[in-house]
Amino acid sequence: MQVYQDKQRIQDTVQELRRNQQIVGLVPTMGALHEGHLSLIRQAKEQCDQVVISIFVNPTQFNNSSDLEKYPRTIEADLSLLKENFKDLIIFTPTVSEIYGEQIKSENFEFGALAKQMEGKYRDGHFDGVGTILKRLFDIVNPHKAFFGEKDYQQLLIVKKLVELTRQDVEIIGCPISREVSGLARSSRNKRLQENELKKATFIYNILLEAKENFGTENAFLLKEKFENKFKEDQDFLELEYFEIANAETLEPIAEDFDKNLKYRAFIAAFANDVRLIDNIALN
Ligand code: PAF
C-alpha cells in the first residue's frame, strides 16, 4: 500500500501508471471508512488496474461548523481496514493546506436546478464545496474513472454535471447503496449513534420501502403527506428534514401525478439527535 500526502508525488505516480497503459480508478472519501466504502473499492478494482483512495475531510462542503468538528476522523483505523482488505492500493491523504493553500474557499458552479433541491436547499453552499474538492482531486489524481455511492444520489448527479462543466475527462460511475442487515444505509455518520439508536434509525429505510410499495396508488402530494405524517405519528426519535419524491434525472420534486414514462426516486433526510442521515430509493 502506498500512502501519499503530497500532491506532486501522487500526480507523478498516476502519470507513470497511465504511461504504462494502466486504467486508474479513484474512490474519493472523507475517511471513517466502513463496508460501504469497501464495496465501492471492490467495484473500482473490478473495473480498473489501479485504485486510488483519497481520504480528506473537506471543510468547504460543511455548512455547519459543529458538523465539521464532529465528523469522525479515524485515519489509523482507516489505513488498517484498507490493509486488511486489499493488497495494493494507493492512498492519498492530503492536508487542508495541500488542497486549499491559504484560502479555504469554494468555487461557484452553475449546477442549475439540480443543486437547488433537497441537500442544496437545506445545506447552503454544500455542492459548491463538493464541486471544489472533486475538481481539484480529479486534476491532481487524473483518474480514468471515479466511483460514488447512490446513497448520495443528488451528489452523484452533481458530479456528473461537474465534469460536464469542467470538461474533465473522467468517467463517473454510480454504485448501489450499501446497507446494514437491518436495511440502514451505511454511513460514516452512523459511527456517532448508539446501538439502540441505529435500530431506531432503520425507520428511514422502512419508510422508503413502504413508499416504493405505495408508488402509483396515490398522487405524489398525498404520498408525501402520508409519509411526512408517519415521521410524526409512528416514531419519536428521528426528526424529519424532508421527504421528497422527485424525477430521478432532474430531481424536480413531483407535486401531482406521475408520468409512467419517467423514473422517480423517494428521498429522506432526518436527524437522529444531531446526526444527519440521508437515504433514497428507486420507486419504479
Ligand atoms: O461523499 C463524500 O464522502 C464526499 O462528499 C466526497 C465525494 C468524498 C467529497 O468530499
Side-chain angles (χ1 to χ4, degrees):
M1 211 163 70
Q2 307 165 63
V3 184
Y4 299 111
Q5 272 207 321
D6 182 295
K7 59 186 175 196
Q8 190 59 53
R9 290 198 54 208
I10 188 113
Q11 220 158 21
D12 295 346
T13 305
V14 174
Q15 215 168 32
E16 181 63 17
L17 291 168
R18 289 180 75 110
R19 257 199 300 273
N20 292 328
Q21 314 301 325
Q22 303 272 292
I23 300 293
V24 178
L26 171 67
V27 180
T29 81
M30 296 206 296
L33 301 181
H34 51 73
E35 176 54 39
H37 295 109
L38 302 187
S39 92
L40 284 180
I41 298 171
R42 280 186 210 108
Q43 288 168 78
K45 276 192 148 291
E46 267 170 33
Q47 296 190 35
C48 305
D49 300 309
Q50 276 287 353
V51 176
V52 178
I53 319 299
S54 61
I55 299 179
F56 180 69
V57 180
N58 173 36
T60 61
Q61 71 186 76
F62 287 81
N63 56 323
N64 175 328
S65 56
S66 109
D67 194 22
L68 170 61
E69 239 166 66
K70 289 185 186 156
Y71 201 85
R73 290 162 173 85
T74 56
I75 186 72
E76 291 309 322
D78 291 348
L79 294 177
S80 305
L81 187 69
L82 294 176
K83 223 184 234 169
E84 274 161 31
N85 283 278
F86 301 100
K87 265 213 214 76
D88 67 318
L89 285 178
I90 301 172
I91 322 286
F92 182 42
T93 59
T95 59
V96 172
S97 66
E98 187 72 4
I99 296 289
Y100 284 101
E102 301 278 282
Q103 289 234 318
I104 306 175
K105 237 178 109 189
S106 287
E107 293 174 47
N108 295 318
F109 296 94
E110 293 297 328
F111 293 131
L114 270 186
K116 299 212 163 53
Q117 318 296 348
M118 300 184 289
E119 295 304 286
K121 190 152 124 193
Y122 288 92
R123 302 183 69 190
D124 193 26
H126 170 67
F127 287 125
D128 279 336
V130 170
T132 302
I133 180 60
L134 291 176
K135 181 177 171 221
R136 291 180 193 195
L137 286 174
F138 294 158
D139 271 345
I140 295 166
V141 178
N142 192 17
H144 295 90
K145 302 182 186 207
F147 295 78
F148 296 87
E150 284 185 348
K151 179 175 78 69
D152 298 287
Y153 186 85
Q154 189 172 10
Q155 169 174 277
L156 173 63
L157 298 193
I158 289 277
V159 182
K160 288 184 175 169
K161 181 80 186 172
L162 173 76
V163 296
E164 206 181 291
L165 293 171
T166 57
R167 297 173 192 234
Q168 287 170 302
D169 189 13
V170 48
E171 186 185 351
I172 305 303
I173 314 275
C175 304
I177 300 175
S178 171
R179 297 187 179 279
E180 304 288 351
V181 177
S182 66
L184 181 68
R186 292 196 165 103
S187 162
S188 301
R189 288 187 164 88
N190 293 354
K191 292 193 177 164
R192 293 182 50 211
L193 296 176
Q194 308 290 328
E195 205 56 44
N196 65 327
E197 297 174 329
L198 288 167
K199 226 184 215 163
K200 290 181 185 171
T202 57
F203 187 80
I204 296 173
Y205 182 55
N206 292 334
I207 287 287
L208 288 173
L209 286 179
E210 214 176 317
K212 191 177 172 86
E213 257 169 46
N214 281 231
F215 181 70
T217 59
E218 285 169 292
N219 78 21
F221 177 80
L222 293 173
L223 278 186
K224 185 170 150 71
E225 197 176 44
K226 173 170 168 173
F227 290 113
E228 285 171 348
N229 284 338
K230 275 178 180 280
F231 269 86
K232 285 186 209 134
E233 289 159 11
D234 296 359
Q235 60 87 45
D236 56 9
F237 175 58
L238 300 161
E239 194 185 317
L240 182 67
E241 188 163 62
Y242 61 75
F243 173 91
E244 203 62 83
I245 298 178
N247 179 315
E249 263 177 46
T250 62
L251 296 187
E252 189 191 336
I254 307 306
E256 298 269 328
D257 293 327
F258 299 106
D259 178 338
K260 286 195 180 68
N261 300 312
L262 298 176
K263 296 276 183 219
Y264 297 96
R265 289 183 93 95
F267 297 83
I268 288 177
F271 283 94
N273 301 328
D274 64 341
V275 181
R276 191 171 181 279
L277 302 173
I278 60 170
D279 199 355
N280 69 89
I281 200 165
L283 293 175
N284 61 336

